[in-house]
Amino acid sequence: MDLVLQHWSQVAAAYTIYLVAVISPGPAVMAIIAASISGGRKTGLTLAAGVFAGSFTWAVAAALGLAAVLQTYAELLYALKIAGGFYLLYLGYKALRSALRKEETPSTRAMNKQQNSRQVFLRGYAIHLTNPKAIFAWVAIISLGLPANAPASAVAIIVGGCLLTGLTVFTGYALLFSTEGALYAYRAARRWIDGAMAALFCAAGVKLLTARL
């Protein structure tokens, strides 16, 4: 604890970087918003839990030093980048199909609200796990916030604080966009919203596929 207090400015910087990163509207946040407004609170929270699980996985990997291994084996990161890019394009395709559908039928609305929780969770997990930028962010956070030979308690404070922040933000987005007002807005402008989501997912997928690691 004394070591953490001595380097509190570094710890605060790490928290700030993570907060900015997690609030920014990336693929994970877009997916949570889309799931919440179309499928309701349960769907949004389930997908948010999947995204959080992906963040937790990368956090543990970075804390255990596995990030250095992944950076050494660039082929694995490249494979993740390709898989993540095409997965985002697939999500964009699904959103585009929804946007091109003139009317949302009762069966479609029921399907959105009754999606298999396991599938929704895994979708959120896949979105975050297949984004190599996520592990780079965690590497930067741990490298910035922790001095050399930091004790396990210091690692726990950095990782635990950031994960708590991420959980709060992810669930907050799900709760905010699953309100009756959000659902009403979605029904009123479903095709425009789904079209915007399709464009955002496709843009994110192309960006991930063409970005250098």
Side-chain angles (χ1 to χ4, degrees):
M1 181 62 71
D2 290 340
L3 183 60
V4 174
L5 293 176
Q6 292 173 11
H7 298 274
W8 177 246
S9 61
Q10 293 173 270
V11 174
Y15 284 166
T16 302
I17 289 175
Y18 184 77
L19 179 62
V20 171
V22 80
I23 289 178
S24 302
V29 170
M30 291 189 299
I32 292 172
I33 292 173
S36 299
I37 61 178
S38 62
R41 181 168 299 174
K42 180 181 177 181
T43 301
L45 288 174
T46 302
L47 194 134
V51 171
F52 174 76
S55 184
F56 180 84
T57 300
W58 284 132
V60 172
L64 294 178
L66 297 181
V69 176
L70 287 173
Q71 291 182 75
T72 300
Y73 294 95
E75 295 83 0
L76 180 55
L77 276 177
Y78 183 76
L80 282 174
K81 184 172 81 79
I82 297 300
F86 278 111
Y87 188 63
L88 289 174
L89 290 177
Y90 168 71
L91 293 179
Y93 166 73
K94 290 184 65 177
L96 180 61
R97 285 187 59 188
S98 178
L100 294 176
R101 191 168 50 242
K102 292 184 178 181
E103 294 182 0
E104 186 181 23
T105 63
S107 60
T108 302
R109 288 198 296 269
M111 181 181 65
N112 284 337
K113 291 185 177 181
Q114 298 175 5
Q115 293 180 74
N116 184 286
S117 295
R118 181 172 178 271
Q119 293 177 341
V120 174
F121 178 88
L122 291 177
R123 175 156 43 106
Y125 188 68
I127 289 172
H128 215 59
L129 198 66
T130 56
N131 187 357
K133 304 296 182 182
I135 195 168
F136 289 142
W138 275 106
V139 171
I141 289 166
I142 290 179
S143 299
L144 177 64
L146 293 173
N149 302 317
S153 59
V155 177
I157 289 174
I158 288 288
V159 174
C162 288
L163 285 175
L164 180 60
T165 300
L167 181 62
T168 302
V169 172
F170 295 145
T171 56
Y173 272 120
L175 293 173
L176 176 63
F177 286 93
S178 61
T179 60
E180 287 296 326
L183 181 58
Y184 177 80
Y186 174 72
R187 287 174 175 172
R190 178 188 61 82
R191 299 183 70 185
W192 288 100
I193 293 173
D194 286 346
M197 288 296 176
L200 290 171
F201 277 129
C202 289
V206 171
K207 182 178 179 181
L208 186 57
L209 288 171
T210 56
R212 292 184 177 181
L213 292 176

